Amino acid sequence: MSATTHSAWLAHTVFDGARRYEGVFPDLALHCERVVRSALIMGMTPEITPEEIEGLARDGANRFDGNETLYIRPMFWIEEGFGPIDPGTTRFALVIQPMPMPDVEPGFSAQISDFRKPSPETAPTGAKASCLYPQATLA
């Protein structure tokens, strides 16, 4: 991905995050389906099916120690376009890396933020899109 990649420049990226832990892949098929659905919502043309992504993820995970907890992240992005996108430049990557589950302290505190989730007519809220995450992080 270069500095002029539409995705890096204008956040036209979708992803999903699955896990392998204790030898199982909870909801892996659902994560693979959602990333393709998100790509379609964002106007991309994914050239790989959810089933193919799941096969690649399982094959890739098998290259690691069977006891390692893994993070599995399929993602699509648009390579070209400024303003109008070029759906024909949709790219795919699958990242698999060791990543232990975070330690969770018992209990938490919460408060109301000045930031709100965008409404469906103002943002692609039906997609798991990178462009939605800065607002959640600020909140």
Side-chain angles (χ1 to χ4, degrees), residues 70-90:
L70 302 176
Y71 178 64
I72 301 165
R73 181 181 175 156
M75 55 190 287
F76 291 98
W77 69 92
I78 292 290
E79 188 67 27
E80 295 180 18
F82 180 75
I85 60 169
D86 181 353
T89 65
T90 300

Side-chain angles (χ1 to χ4, degrees), residues 61-133:
N62 286 335
R63 297 169 189 255
F64 290 84
D65 178 309
N67 295 318
E68 270 186 298
T69 300
L70 302 176
Y71 178 64
I72 301 165
R73 181 181 175 156
M75 55 190 287
F76 291 98
W77 69 92
I78 292 290
E79 188 67 27
E80 295 180 18
F82 180 75
I85 60 169
D86 181 353
T89 65
T90 300
R91 302 291 185 263
F92 171 76
L94 178 62
V95 177
I96 302 173
Q97 68 185 65
M99 184 183 291
M101 297 294 283
D103 289 330
V104 179
E105 298 281 331
F108 65 92
S109 62
Q111 66 184 38
I112 301 294
S113 171
D114 292 334
F115 291 92
R116 300 288 180 260
K117 180 178 179 179
S119 61
E121 68 277 355
T122 64
T125 57
K128 188 167 173 117
S130 297
C131 60
L132 300 173
Y133 279 73

